[in-house]
Amino acid sequence: VYILVRSSLFRSQDGGETWQRLSNGLDNHNNLNSLTTSAANDRVLYTAASGDGVYHSSNGGDTWRSVNTGIDDREIGWVVSSPADANLVFAHTKTGKLYRSENGGEGWELVRQDLPATAIAIASDGSNPILLGDENGQIWRSEDRGTSWNQVNSPSDVGSVNQIAIANDFANSQTFVVATGEAGVYRTTDGGQSFS
């Protein structure tokens, strides 16, 4: 179990009975605000601090190193790793820039800008969809690992998109769920063509 608390990162290897502070290589001067582990490799972690950028660990958090090559805006709001590919990572800045790394953070490229993204979800079943929600309630979908994005026919007047969860069998079920800021939870079973 990992937790971010009081600007620090802690790990428990006994179900939360005891905790160890992880700091070897974390030279962040600002608060750590995001943490992601890939289901494809649970030893691979990424964390981010606004102003310091992204950090990567390949050994379960024992050691860390800064990985910001290609990121020109280190005001990172969140970082998310693909559950299907530990090398595919997205980082979003507070200024609306979305960066992608396809080599485990070794290099990054800007794939979207001026997008007030608040949530992202990546299919875990090996299918391609990546879903992105923004503060205006809009949902975007990418089928090419984030290179291009198309708007989904999103529900209206829902406030921000706070969370998106994609079904484990998305390729077959075409189901995902969206938690909104003002209108509760919506579900689609046709890949986002309609919601209930």
Side-chain angles (χ1 to χ4, degrees):
V1 181
Y2 298 89
I3 187 171
L4 292 175
V5 61
R6 295 188 190 137
S7 310
S8 298
L9 173 61
F10 294 85
R11 177 183 64 196
S12 174
Q13 295 179 293
D14 55 12
E17 292 294 325
T18 61
W19 294 88
Q20 172 192 7
R21 185 171 184 259
L22 304 177
S23 59
N24 188 4
L26 290 174
D27 59 356
N28 54 297
H29 301 288
N30 299 288
N31 294 345
L32 296 171
N33 57 14
S34 182
L35 175 69
T36 183
T37 305
S38 175
N41 183 346
D42 63 6
R43 301 288 291 165
V44 174
L45 294 91
Y46 302 87
T47 190
S50 182
D52 297 298
V54 180
Y55 295 87
H56 171 261
S57 174
S58 59
N59 53 20
D62 289 336
T63 59
W64 295 83
R65 61 191 179 86
S66 177
V67 287
N68 291 300
T69 301
I71 296 179
D72 63 358
D73 180 354
R74 294 192 182 181
E75 292 292 326
I76 305 297
W78 48 257
V79 60
V80 172
S81 177
S82 167
D85 180 352
N87 289 315
L88 179 62
V89 192
F90 291 89
H92 187 265
T93 71
K94 293 184 175 181
T95 56
K97 294 180 179 178
L98 181 67
Y99 291 91
R100 175 186 63 196
S101 175
E102 296 189 90
N103 55 10
E106 295 300 321
W108 298 84
E109 63 178 314
L110 182 65
V111 292
R112 285 293 305 259
Q113 54 186 336
D114 301 323
L115 179 66
T118 51
I120 189 170
I122 304 170
S124 63
D125 62 359
S127 58
N128 289 326
I130 301 171
L131 301 171
L132 191 67
D134 67 25
E135 65 185 22
N136 301 313
Q138 183 60 57
I139 302 168
W140 304 81
R141 180 171 172 167
S142 175
E143 298 288 343
D144 55 10
R145 296 169 68 88
T147 299
S148 60
W149 298 85
N150 296 307
Q151 275 187 297
V152 172
N153 185 25
S154 309
S156 58
D157 300 321
V158 298
S160 62
V161 173
N162 293 345
Q163 191 69 269
I164 304 172
I166 301 178
N168 291 335
D169 63 342
F170 181 81
N172 294 320
S173 70
Q174 293 293 297
T175 298
F176 66 87
V177 178
V178 179
T180 70
E182 297 178 9
V185 179
Y186 286 80
R187 180 179 65 185
T188 178
T189 56
D190 54 18
Q193 296 181 50
S194 62
F195 288 85
S196 59

